[in-house]
């Protein structure tokens, strides 16, 4: 299904007819916009309602500033307004951190959880390097990516104070962690999730980076589909 930058709508849970698959919420990663999910959606195929929203603090008209808990609360509110009582959630990078917040604070809303290259306890050194790389990117490149430099810097500031180890231990939803073989920070985070979430599983994508929805959308879609169908 096509996605627009504000996000594709999830049909109301009140629609007539027999219940189908749970909606899938797609939370993009750092330096991405919702449109990045196009190839993933095409690879996953029809039959499941999907929604790729902007997260609070990253929407083009939001005030500059980012808070993981506020982003999760905004997502919960959006789902409730659309009549969604339960959804599966796939989060990439910082989207994975927001997905973890949602799973802990609103477990009633989360069916199954897929974390791709999640950020659990990012190191200060790695964040400094990424922040420096961001400052060196030309403005034209950022425009092409559909993101704002000040908003991305605000995300780095929020992640600097983020320690999700305790939060991860409180996740109850069935969880799949997908990590790119080239994503060193994601591999560390994946081990942290596997050690804390009972029954969680790991899948590795050869040649993948921290943003699997962009560089390996088909592989991520296949792993996600297989995992979600287990719970239906």
């Amino acid at each position: 299904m096509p996605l627009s930058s504000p996000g594709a709508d999830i049909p109301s849970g009140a629609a007539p007819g027999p219940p189908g698959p749970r909606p899938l919420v797609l939370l993009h990663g750092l330096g991405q916009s919702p449109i990045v999910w196009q190839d993933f959606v095409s690879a996953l195929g029809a039959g499941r309602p999907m929604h790729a929203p902007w997260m609070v603090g990253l929407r083009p008209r939001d005030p500059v500033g980012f808070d993981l808990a506020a982003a999760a609360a905004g997502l919960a509110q959006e789902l409730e307004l659309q009549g969604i009582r339960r959804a599966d959630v796939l989060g990439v990078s910082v989207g994975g951190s927001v997905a973890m917040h949602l799973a802990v604070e609103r477990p009633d809303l989360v069916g199954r959880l897929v974390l791709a290259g999640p950020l659990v306890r990012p190191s200060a050194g790695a964040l400094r390097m990424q922040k420096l790389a961001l400052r060196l990117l030309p403005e034209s490149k950022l425009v092409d990516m559909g993101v704002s430099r000040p908003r991305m810097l605000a995300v780095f500031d929020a992640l600097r104070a983020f320690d999700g180890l305790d939060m991860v231990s409180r996740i109850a939803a069935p969880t799949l962690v997908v990590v790119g073989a080239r994503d060193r920070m994601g591999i560390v985070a994946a081990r942290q999730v596997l050690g804390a979430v009972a029954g969680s599983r790991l899948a590795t994508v050869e040649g993948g980076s921290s943003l699997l929805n962009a560089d390996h959308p088909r592989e991520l879609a296949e792993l996600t589909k297989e995992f979600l169908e287990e719970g239906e």
Side-chain angles (χ1 to χ4, degrees):
M1 60 181 286
L3 295 176
S4 60
S5 56
D9 290 336
I10 299 177
S12 168
R22 278 191 299 263
L24 175 60
V25 178
L26 306 170
L27 301 178
H28 59 84
L30 188 61
Q32 297 181 329
S33 68
I35 201 70
V36 74
W37 291 104
Q38 287 278 16
D39 290 341
F40 173 93
V41 169
S42 297
L44 195 71
R48 180 184 299 273
M50 287 178 271
H51 182 39
W54 282 105
M55 291 178 282
V56 172
L58 297 180
R59 294 179 298 210
R61 295 185 179 180
D62 284 350
V64 174
F66 186 77
D67 179 83
L68 289 163
L75 177 59
Q77 182 180 40
E78 185 171 348
L79 293 177
E80 289 174 335
L81 287 173
Q82 297 203 38
I84 301 303
R85 296 181 178 179
R86 200 164 181 82
D88 298 320
V89 183
L90 163 57
V92 173
S93 178
V94 68
S97 303
V98 173
M100 290 188 292
H101 260 286
L102 183 69
V104 169
E105 299 301 327
R106 292 297 308 273
D108 56 304
L109 288 175
V110 179
R112 291 193 155 222
L113 187 63
V114 181
L115 305 173
L119 300 174
V120 176
R121 195 179 191 181
S123 70
L127 290 176
R128 279 196 301 269
M129 292 297 292
Q130 291 187 9
K131 199 169 183 178
L132 176 60
L134 171 63
R135 292 187 184 279
L136 295 176
L137 275 178
E139 191 65 31
S140 59
K141 178 68 172 176
L142 293 172
V143 171
D144 290 342
M145 294 164 61
V147 298
S148 154
R149 193 188 314 270
R151 295 184 199 286
M152 288 182 64
L153 290 172
V155 174
F156 283 124
D157 290 339
L159 290 173
R160 187 174 56 190
F162 176 56
D163 185 342
L165 285 178
D166 176 65
M167 181 179 63
V168 169
S169 68
R170 293 184 283 145
I171 293 175
T175 301
L176 171 67
V177 185
V178 186
V179 66
R182 297 189 292 110
D183 179 14
R184 294 183 180 180
M185 190 158 56
I187 291 171
V188 172
R191 291 171 181 160
Q192 293 167 334
V193 174
L194 292 173
V197 181
S200 57
R201 283 178 276 167
L202 174 67
T204 302
V205 177
E206 291 301 322
S209 71
S210 60
L211 300 174
L212 292 170
N213 56 342
D215 63 25
H216 284 75
R218 181 167 297 279
E219 291 88 340
L220 180 59
E222 290 173 354
L223 291 166
T224 299
K225 184 176 183 179
E226 180 181 355
F227 177 66
L228 297 186
E229 288 179 347
E230 291 177 5
E232 296 171 358

